[in-house]
C-alpha cells in the first residue's frame, strides 16, 4: 500500500485499516495505487458506508445544490476554510 508522502495516518487506525466494500474503498485503493493525496474522511465513509450516506449527500447538496453562490465559489470557500484549519481539502 503506497501512501502520498505528505499524508499522515489517521488517528483511528482501525477505521483506516478496515474499509467495507464499496465506492469509497475503491477510491482509496485507486488513490493509494497512484500515490495521490485524498480526503481522510473517505476512510470513515468506507468504514461505515451506510451510516455516512447522509453526510455525503449533505455535503454534495451544500457544495453543488441550488444556492446564491456558484458551486466554484462554494468550493473555494471550503478550500480556504480547510486551509485556515490546517486540514487538507
Amino acid at each position: 500500500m503506497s501512501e502520498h508522502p505528505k499524508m499522515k495516518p489517521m488517528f483511528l487506525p482501525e477505521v483506516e485499516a478496515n474499509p467495507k466494500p464499496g465506492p469509497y474503498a475503491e477510491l482509496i485503493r485507486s488513490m493509494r495505487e497512484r500515490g495521490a493525496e485524498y480526503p481522510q474522511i473517505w476512510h470513515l465513509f468506507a468504514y461505515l458506508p451506510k451510516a455516512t450516506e447522509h453526510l455525503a449527500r449533505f455535503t454534495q447538496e451544500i457544495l453543488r445544490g441550488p444556492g446564491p453562490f456558484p458551486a466554484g465559489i462554494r468550493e473555494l470557500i471550503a478550500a480556504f476554510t480547510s486551509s485556515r484549519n490546517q486540514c487538507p481539502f
Side-chain angles (χ1 to χ4, degrees), residues 12-81:
L12 302 169
E14 299 83 19
V15 170
E16 189 173 1
N18 295 298
K20 308 298 184 286
Y24 286 99
E26 288 302 314
L27 284 169
I28 292 167
R29 183 192 57 72
S30 174
M31 298 298 273
R32 283 180 168 172
E33 284 178 357
R34 292 185 278 164
E37 197 169 347
Y38 57 89
Q40 293 285 345
I41 197 167
W42 286 2
H43 289 291
L44 181 59
F45 287 5
Y47 182 71
L48 292 171
K50 189 156 180 78
T52 55
E53 287 173 359
H54 68 285
L55 181 57
R57 285 193 314 272
F58 172 79
T59 302
Q60 286 304 309
E61 184 65 24
I62 293 299
L63 291 175
R64 306 258 186 265
F69 298 109
I73 295 297
R74 288 182 263 177
E75 290 273 358
L76 186 59
I77 291 168
F80 176 77
T81 303

